[in-house]
Amino acid sequence: MMPDIGFVPFIDAVIAFTVLECLGLLAWRLATRRGLAVPDFMANLLSGLCLMIALRCLAGGADPRWAALSLLLAGLAHGLDLRRRWHAVRAPSAASAAAQDNPIGRAIA
Protein backbone atom coordinates (compact mmCIF):
# COMPACT_ATOMS: atom_id res chain seq x y z
CA MET A 1 0.00 0.00 0.00
CA MET A 2 1.29 3.46 -0.93
CA PRO A 3 1.68 6.05 1.82
CA ASP A 4 -0.89 8.85 1.84
CA ILE A 5 1.06 12.00 0.96
CA GLY A 6 -2.04 14.12 0.47
CA PHE A 7 -3.33 15.67 -2.71
CA VAL A 8 -2.79 19.36 -1.87
CA PRO A 9 0.91 18.99 -0.91
CA PHE A 10 1.43 17.04 -4.14
CA ILE A 11 -0.09 19.89 -6.18
CA ASP A 12 2.07 22.36 -4.25
CA ALA A 13 5.16 20.33 -5.13
CA VAL A 14 4.25 20.28 -8.82
CA ILE A 15 3.67 24.05 -8.78
CA ALA A 16 7.02 24.58 -7.05
CA PHE A 17 8.78 22.38 -9.59
CA THR A 18 7.15 24.32 -12.44
CA VAL A 19 8.27 27.65 -10.98
CA LEU A 20 11.81 26.28 -10.57
CA GLU A 21 11.72 25.04 -14.16
CA CYS A 22 10.72 28.52 -15.35
CA LEU A 23 13.47 30.16 -13.32
CA GLY A 24 16.00 27.64 -14.62
CA LEU A 25 15.01 28.25 -18.23
CA LEU A 26 15.21 32.02 -17.71
CA ALA A 27 18.60 31.78 -15.98
CA TRP A 28 19.99 29.52 -18.70
CA ARG A 29 18.78 31.88 -21.42
CA LEU A 30 20.22 34.97 -19.69
CA ALA A 31 23.54 33.30 -18.89
CA THR A 32 24.24 31.63 -22.24
CA ARG A 33 21.99 33.34 -24.79
CA ARG A 34 21.16 29.82 -25.94
CA GLY A 35 18.18 27.58 -25.37
CA LEU A 36 14.56 28.50 -25.80
CA ALA A 37 13.67 32.13 -26.34
CA VAL A 38 11.52 33.43 -23.49
CA PRO A 39 8.40 34.03 -25.65
CA ASP A 40 8.69 30.46 -26.94
CA PHE A 41 8.00 28.93 -23.54
CA MET A 42 6.57 31.57 -21.23
CA ALA A 43 2.92 31.63 -22.38
CA ASN A 44 2.73 27.83 -22.44
CA LEU A 45 4.32 27.51 -19.01
CA LEU A 46 2.09 30.25 -17.59
CA SER A 47 -1.02 28.54 -18.94
CA GLY A 48 -0.12 25.26 -17.27
CA LEU A 49 0.80 26.99 -14.04
CA CYS A 50 -2.56 28.77 -13.93
CA LEU A 51 -4.34 25.44 -14.45
CA MET A 52 -2.41 23.93 -11.54
CA ILE A 53 -3.25 26.94 -9.36
CA ALA A 54 -6.95 26.52 -10.20
CA LEU A 55 -6.73 22.85 -9.21
CA ARG A 56 -4.93 23.85 -6.01
CA CYS A 57 -7.66 26.38 -5.18
CA LEU A 58 -10.41 23.80 -5.61
CA ALA A 59 -8.56 21.00 -3.80
CA GLY A 60 -7.66 23.30 -0.91
CA GLY A 61 -11.19 24.59 -0.40
CA ALA A 62 -10.54 28.18 -1.50
CA ASP A 63 -13.26 30.42 -2.85
CA PRO A 64 -14.23 29.07 -6.31
CA ARG A 65 -13.83 32.59 -7.72
CA TRP A 66 -10.06 32.23 -7.33
CA ALA A 67 -10.19 29.03 -9.37
CA ALA A 68 -12.33 30.78 -11.99
CA LEU A 69 -9.81 33.64 -12.18
CA SER A 70 -6.96 31.15 -12.57
CA LEU A 71 -8.85 29.35 -15.34
CA LEU A 72 -9.50 32.67 -17.08
CA LEU A 73 -5.80 33.54 -16.93
CA ALA A 74 -4.89 30.06 -18.19
CA GLY A 75 -7.21 30.50 -21.14
CA LEU A 76 -5.77 33.92 -21.95
CA ALA A 77 -2.20 32.62 -21.79
CA HIS A 78 -3.15 29.64 -23.94
CA GLY A 79 -4.81 31.92 -26.49
CA LEU A 80 -1.71 34.11 -26.58
CA ASP A 81 0.47 31.05 -27.13
CA LEU A 82 -1.75 29.77 -29.95
CA ARG A 83 -1.89 33.19 -31.60
CA ARG A 84 1.89 33.52 -31.44
CA ARG A 85 2.46 30.06 -32.89
CA TRP A 86 -0.17 30.61 -35.60
CA HIS A 87 1.55 33.79 -36.74
CA ALA A 88 4.95 32.07 -36.66
CA VAL A 89 3.64 29.43 -39.09
CA ARG A 90 1.99 31.96 -41.40
CA ALA A 91 5.06 34.23 -41.62
CA PRO A 92 7.89 32.04 -42.95
CA SER A 93 11.43 33.02 -42.12
CA ALA A 94 14.05 33.91 -44.73
CA ALA A 95 15.67 30.48 -44.27
CA SER A 96 12.45 28.63 -45.02
CA ALA A 97 11.78 30.86 -48.02
CA ALA A 98 15.25 30.02 -49.36
CA ALA A 99 14.52 26.33 -48.84
CA GLN A 100 11.41 26.66 -51.02
CA ASP A 101 13.66 27.82 -53.90
CA ASN A 102 15.66 24.65 -53.54
CA PRO A 103 14.09 21.49 -55.11
CA ILE A 104 15.11 19.43 -52.08
CA GLY A 105 13.57 22.05 -49.78
CA ARG A 106 10.27 21.85 -51.70
CA ALA A 107 10.28 18.07 -51.34
CA ILE A 108 10.75 18.26 -47.58
CA ALA A 109 8.22 21.00 -46.98
Side-chain angles (χ1 to χ4, degrees), residues 11-63:
I11 298 170
D12 291 340
V14 173
I15 290 172
F17 179 79
T18 304
V19 170
L20 289 175
E21 176 187 16
C22 181
L23 293 174
L25 287 169
L26 286 171
W28 178 260
R29 179 68 180 179
L30 291 173
T32 66
R33 296 283 181 224
R34 296 185 329 185
L36 293 172
V38 175
D40 289 342
F41 71 85
M42 189 56 73
N44 190 301
L45 199 88
L46 184 61
S47 175
L49 187 60
C50 287
L51 287 173
M52 288 185 279
I53 291 171
L55 179 63
R56 169 62 171 90
C57 288
L58 293 174
D63 188 342

